[in-house]
Amino acid sequence: MQAIGAIRYLLTRWIGLAMLVIITTTAFAGNTPKTVEDYEKLVIQYRFSVPDSGVFYAKKGLELSRRLRNKKGEAVMLTHWGIIDENQGRFSAARQKYLKAIHLYEQIKNGDGIAGEIIRLGVVEMRQGSFDKATGYFFRALRMHEKNNNRPGIMEANITLAEAYMGQSEYDIALSYLKTAESISKTLPLSGLTLYIYNNYGVVYTATGEIKKAINYYEKGIALSNVPQYAGLNVTLLNGLGMAYAKAGNTAKAAEIQLTSLERARRIKNYLRELQTLNGLADTYKLQDADKALSYLKQAVTLAYQKKASKIAIETLQRMAAIYQQQGNYKAAFEVNRRERALSDSLFNLARATEIANLQSSYDLQKSQSSVEKLKYVNNEQRSQQRVTIFIAIAVVAILVIVIIFYARIRAYNKQLQQLNADLVASNQSKDKLFSVLGHDLRAPLATLKNFLSLLEDDDLTASERKQVVTELQHNCDSSLDVLNKLLRWGQLQLKGKQVNAVSFDPAEIVAQNLRLFKNAAAEKQIIINTKIAQDITLYGDADHFDFIIRNLLSNAIKFTGTGGYIMVGCLAGAEEGELDFYVKDNGVGMPAEQAAQVFKRLNASQRGTHGEKGTGLGLMLSYEFVLANNGNIKVSSEPGKGTSFTFTFGHSLGML
C-alpha cells in the first residue's frame, strides 16, 4: 500500500508540474505580463485553482517589483504569496511574508497597507486556534483604520473581530461586531466584505439554533453573490445554507443545496471552497448515512493532498477517524489516525525547519549589520587619522601619542568582538543541543499520552477498564513530567555553561524509572525486559546524563526488537578499579559492521523500527557525548538477525551504598 501511495504521489506531482508548464506557456504565449498589476491578476487567477502557478507568478511579480524599486508592489506580491502559504497550512512561512510586507509599507509610510497586513497576521493566528493573539492584531488594525478614517478597513476589522469571537463560541460579542460592520456596509458599495457579513450572520444563527434567521441571511447573500465576481463567496454561502437545513433536520434539502455548491466550486476550480463543501456534505450525512459521509471525506483528503493543503487534510482525517469510531470500525480509525499523525509530524517538522531558517536569516542579518557598523567605525577612524596628519609638522609627538591611543582602542574592540562571537557560537551550540534533546526525549511520551487519551474516548470501555487506563495515564504523565523536569534542569545547566553536574546517585533507581516509562511500549510488542543491577551501588557523575543514556538505549532496543523478543539491562565490574560496565542487550534485528561503526556519528541516518517507529538519529550521538563528558567510553557489538549490545562505563563507582 505504501508503494502504491508513493507512486500516486509522484504521478500527482508530475501531472501538477506538467500543468504548471502548460499554463505558464499558454499565459505567456498570448499575453506576456509587463507590469506588477499584470502579475497580481495572474496570481489571483491561479492561487485557488493551481497554487503552484500562483506561487510562480508571485515570484515573477516580486522580481519585477524589486527591479523597479516598487516597494508597494513587493508588499502586494508577498501578501498574495503568504495567502497561498496560509491556505496550504504553512503558517510560519505566511507570517514571515506578512512581516516583510509590513516593513515595506513602513518604509513608504502606507498606514492602510500596514493595517491590512496586521489583519493577515491575525488571520494566521486565528486559523491556528490562537484567538487571543488574533484579537490583539484585529484591535490594533481597527485603531489604525479609525485613525485614518478608512471605513472599508474599519468594516473589515469588525468582521475579523466577529470571526475571532465566533471561533470561541462567544456569539453575543460576535453579533455586536457584525452589527457594527453591517451598519458601515450600508454606506458603502457592495463588496465581498458585505457578503462575509451575511455569511457570518448565518454561521452564528445556525450555531445558536435560530435557523430561520440563518437561512434569511444566507439567501440574501446568495442573491447578491450570484455573479462571476463573487463566485467563490457564492459557494461558501450555499454550503452554509445547506448546513443550516441539515441542522434543522432537512437532510434532503441540505444535500441538494450542498451538491449545487460542490458543482459550482469545481466549475470555478476553487479547491478551498470544494474542500469546504465536501466536509459540509460529510457533516450532513454522518448521522444518517456514514458510508456516504466517508466517501465525501475521502474525496476531500485526496484533493487536500493534491493541493498540499496539509491543515485541511489533517482536519478531514480526524473527521474520518471519528466516523469510523462511530461505526465501531476501530482498525480503520486507527489507520486514519496513523496517517493524520504522520501528516501532523511532517507539518510540524516543516514549520520547525522554517522557524530555524528564519532564525538563521535573522542571525545572518545581525552579522551583516555588525559588519557594516564595524566598517563605519573603521572609516571614522581613518578619517580621524587623516585629520590628525594635518598637524604632523606642528606636533609629531602628540600625533604619535594619539595614534598609539587609537591603535590600543581598536585592539580592545577587536578582542571584545572576538569574545562576543565566541560566546554567541557557544550559546548557539547549547541551544541546538537543548532543542535536539527536548525533541528526542519528549516525542515518545507525548505519543503514548495521546494514545491513552484516544482510548478514553471509547464509549465501550467498562468502568474497570477506564479506571485502568486512567491509572496508566497517570503513571505515564508522572514519568513524562519527571523526564521533562530533568531535561529542563539539564538545559539550564547547558545555557549557564556548566556541561557536567556531577553528583552521587543510584543507577538502579534510574534504570527502574525508565523501565516504568517504557513499560507500555514493551508490552505492546510483548518484549520481556530483565535487569541485573545491584540495588546497593552508587555512581559519581552527571545523573541526568546517565538517565538520558539509559532511556535512549532502552528506546532503541525496544524499537529494533521484534514481537516476543527480550532485552537485558545490567552491569559488571569494569577493567579498571572503580569502574562499572553497564550494558543494554537485545535479540533484535541487529546491524552490519559498517553501520555499527557509524552509529555514534552525526552523519548516521536514523532507521525505522520493527513496527515502523520513527527516530531522529540524535540519541546515540548525544549519548556518546555524555559518556565522554563523564570520563567514560561506549562501544557497540551487533550482528544482523542476532541482536545488538551497547556497553558503556560512566563516571566513577563509589562502591556499596
Side-chain angles (χ1 to χ4, degrees):
M1 290 297 292
Q2 290 180 347
I4 293 172
I7 292 170
R8 185 183 296 119
Y9 174 79
L10 288 172
L11 286 173
T12 302
R13 292 292 297 149
W14 290 339
I15 292 170
L17 289 171
M19 288 178 63
L20 176 58
V21 171
I22 293 169
I23 291 169
T24 303
T25 304
T26 304
F28 277 103
N31 185 18
T32 303
K34 296 180 180 178
T35 66
V36 175
E37 290 74 22
D38 290 340
Y39 282 110
E40 184 181 8
K41 290 176 183 177
L42 288 168
V43 174
I44 294 171
Q45 178 181 348
Y46 290 114
R47 67 184 180 191
F48 292 119
S49 56
V50 189
D52 286 346
S53 295
V55 171
F56 174 85
Y57 289 120
K59 289 180 179 178
K60 289 291 183 181
L62 194 61
E63 292 171 2
L64 178 60
S65 299
R66 287 171 177 165
R67 285 201 304 271
L68 299 175
R69 298 184 180 179
N70 181 348
K71 294 187 181 297
K72 183 179 179 181
E74 277 188 67
V76 169
M77 288 299 147
L78 285 169
T79 302
H80 287 304
W81 192 354
I83 290 172
I84 295 173
D85 284 336
E86 187 180 318
N87 290 337
Q88 295 183 327
R90 296 191 296 272
F91 298 116
S92 179
R95 186 185 299 110
Q96 290 302 315
K97 291 178 177 66
Y98 298 150
L99 289 171
K100 289 178 181 177
I102 287 176
H103 181 65
L104 290 165
Y105 280 128
E106 286 173 343
Q107 292 178 17
I108 60 176
K109 296 180 173 57
N110 187 327
D112 290 336
I114 295 170
E117 298 301 326
I118 289 171
I119 285 179
R120 294 306 323 166
L121 289 172
V123 171
V124 167
E125 296 297 337
M126 186 166 62
R127 294 181 71 171
Q128 295 179 95
S130 301
F131 295 105
D132 288 340
K133 288 184 179 180
T135 303
Y137 280 122
F138 296 149
F139 273 123
R140 183 178 164 192
L142 178 61
R143 288 193 296 269
M144 293 183 68
H145 282 312
E146 287 176 340
K147 182 179 179 181
N148 297 330
N149 195 27
N150 183 339
R151 295 186 65 76
I154 295 170
M155 180 168 68
E156 183 181 15
N158 276 279
I159 293 170
T160 52
L161 279 166
E163 290 173 349
Y165 284 106
M166 286 160 60
Q168 302 171 79
S169 300
E170 298 282 354
Y171 297 115
D172 290 338
I173 301 175
L175 282 172
S176 67
Y177 286 110
L178 285 175
K179 288 174 182 176
T180 300
E182 186 178 29
S183 65
I184 297 173
S185 72
K186 292 177 181 178
T187 67
L188 297 172
L190 176 66
S191 69
L193 292 175
T194 304
L195 298 175
Y196 274 116
I197 294 171
Y198 293 144
N199 182 72
N200 290 341
Y201 267 127
V203 173
V204 171
Y205 286 129
T206 300
T208 56
E210 299 181 71
I211 304 301
K212 287 186 178 180
K213 288 185 178 180
I215 290 173
N216 179 54
Y217 273 105
Y218 280 130
E219 289 179 342
K220 189 184 297 186
I222 290 166
L224 291 171
S225 64
N226 198 17
V227 292
Q229 180 182 355
Y230 301 122
L233 282 168
N234 183 261
V235 171
T236 297
L237 288 159
L238 278 169
N239 186 50
L241 179 61
M243 294 177 73
Y245 276 109
K247 186 162 185 178
N250 193 341
T251 303
K253 180 72 172 176
E256 177 186 357
I257 294 170
Q258 287 174 316
L259 286 171
T260 300
S261 173
L262 182 61
E263 186 274 330
R264 292 186 182 181
R266 287 172 173 170
R267 187 170 67 234
I268 64 174
K269 299 180 180 178
N270 188 317
Y271 78 92
L272 285 178
R273 261 70 183 211
E274 184 177 349
L275 288 169
Q276 179 188 64
T277 307
L278 287 168
N279 278 284
L281 279 162
D283 286 341
T284 297
Y285 280 112
K286 67 182 178 183
L287 296 178
Q288 287 79 12
D289 190 342
D291 289 336
K292 186 171 286 190
L294 285 169
S295 71
Y296 287 119
L297 290 175
K298 289 174 182 177
Q299 292 179 52
V301 168
T302 301
L303 179 60
Y305 271 94
Q306 288 175 353
K307 299 299 183 181
K308 296 184 254 185
S310 301
K311 191 169 188 302
I312 298 177
I314 290 168
E315 293 168 353
T316 307
L317 287 169
Q318 290 171 345
R319 290 173 182 236
M320 289 178 66
I323 293 178
Y324 279 127
Q325 287 183 350
Q326 169 189 315
Q327 293 180 314
N329 190 348
Y330 298 110
K331 182 178 180 181
F334 175 80
E335 178 60 22
V336 171
N337 272 328
R338 186 190 64 77
R339 289 178 64 192
E340 182 264 328
R341 285 197 301 272
L343 186 57
S344 296
D345 286 347
S346 67
L347 191 60
F348 170 78
N349 290 334
L350 176 62
R352 185 170 63 176
T354 303
E355 293 291 347
I356 291 172
N358 291 334
L359 285 172
Q360 184 63 44
S361 297
S362 300
Y363 173 69
D364 291 341
L365 178 61
Q366 263 189 336
K367 281 209 312 185
S368 64
Q369 289 174 341
S370 175
S371 298
V372 170
E373 291 300 320
K374 186 177 178 181
L375 287 172
K376 287 182 179 178
Y377 173 78
V378 172
N379 287 333
N380 288 335
E381 291 299 312
Q382 290 175 346
R383 285 195 293 269
S384 297
Q385 290 175 5
Q386 288 173 356
R387 287 194 295 268
V388 170
T389 56
I390 299 174
F391 301 97
I392 290 177
I394 303 171
V396 174
V397 175
I399 291 174
L400 289 174
V401 171
I402 292 172
V403 170
I404 291 171
I405 291 173
F406 276 108
Y407 177 72
R409 186 181 299 175
I410 291 172
R411 287 192 63 185
Y413 283 146
N414 284 335
K415 287 181 180 179
Q416 291 177 7
L417 184 59
Q418 291 171 359
Q419 184 61 44
L420 287 173
N421 285 335
D423 292 343
L424 182 59
V425 170
S427 175
N428 277 339
Q429 290 175 345
S430 296
K431 173 206 67 177
D432 291 343
K433 191 177 293 182
L434 175 58
F435 286 165
S436 299
V437 173
L438 285 173
H440 183 275
D441 275 18
L442 291 183
R443 180 183 294 273
L446 289 177
T448 304
L449 290 176
K450 184 175 180 181
N451 290 336
F452 278 128
L453 291 172
S454 298
L455 287 174
L456 289 176
E457 294 177 354
D458 188 352
D459 295 333
D460 294 334
L461 288 177
T462 65
S464 62
E465 289 174 335
R466 192 175 296 277
K467 182 178 180 181
Q468 182 180 359
V469 171
V470 170
T471 301
E472 291 294 333
L473 182 60
Q474 186 175 10
H475 289 162
N476 193 273
C477 285
D478 292 339
S479 298
S480 299
L481 182 60
D482 182 55
V483 171
L484 178 59
N485 287 333
K486 289 179 179 178
L487 287 173
L488 291 177
R489 184 165 67 252
W490 174 82
Q492 289 173 346
L493 292 173
Q494 294 293 305
L495 293 176
K496 290 177 181 177
K498 189 173 183 181
Q499 300 299 316
V500 177
N501 182 31
V503 295
S504 299
F505 65 94
D506 180 2
E509 175 58 27
I510 290 178
V511 171
Q513 289 176 0
N514 281 284
L515 289 176
R516 289 193 291 272
L517 179 64
F518 290 106
K519 180 179 70 174
N520 291 310
E524 185 177 344
K525 298 174 76 172
Q526 301 176 11
I527 294 173
I528 296 173
I529 303 179
N530 291 322
T531 59
K532 288 185 179 180
I533 299 180
Q535 300 295 316
D536 53 357
I537 60 174
T538 184
L539 287 179
Y540 183 75
D542 193 312
D544 291 335
H545 286 182
F546 184 84
D547 185 27
F548 179 91
I549 297 164
I550 289 294
R551 184 164 58 254
N552 181 69
L553 295 180
L554 266 175
S555 174
N556 284 344
I558 293 171
K559 176 179 175 182
F560 294 106
T561 299
T563 301
Y566 70 87
I567 297 171
M568 175 69 71
V569 183
C571 70
L572 300 168
E576 301 290 335
E577 183 178 355
E579 282 187 352
L580 286 176
D581 288 339
F582 291 88
Y583 61 87
V584 178
K585 301 179 180 179
D586 63 65
N587 67 337
V589 298
M591 53 185 156
E594 314 87 72
Q595 184 179 353
Q598 301 292 325
V599 293
F600 300 120
K601 297 182 180 180
R602 184 178 295 273
L603 54 83
N604 178 46
S606 175
Q607 306 295 318
R608 286 191 175 268
T610 58
H611 283 194
E613 302 97 327
K614 294 187 295 184
T616 63
L618 293 169
L620 289 175
M621 183 271 292
L622 290 173
S623 297
Y624 180 76
E625 286 187 22
F626 293 163
V627 166
L628 295 183
N630 286 271
N631 300 316
N633 61 76
I634 184 170
K635 58 186 178 180
V636 59
S637 63
S638 183
E639 187 174 349
K642 294 187 178 181
T644 301
S645 175
F646 285 91
T647 305
F648 68 95
T649 58
F650 190 92
H652 188 76
S653 172
L654 298 181
M656 302 299 178
L657 286 170

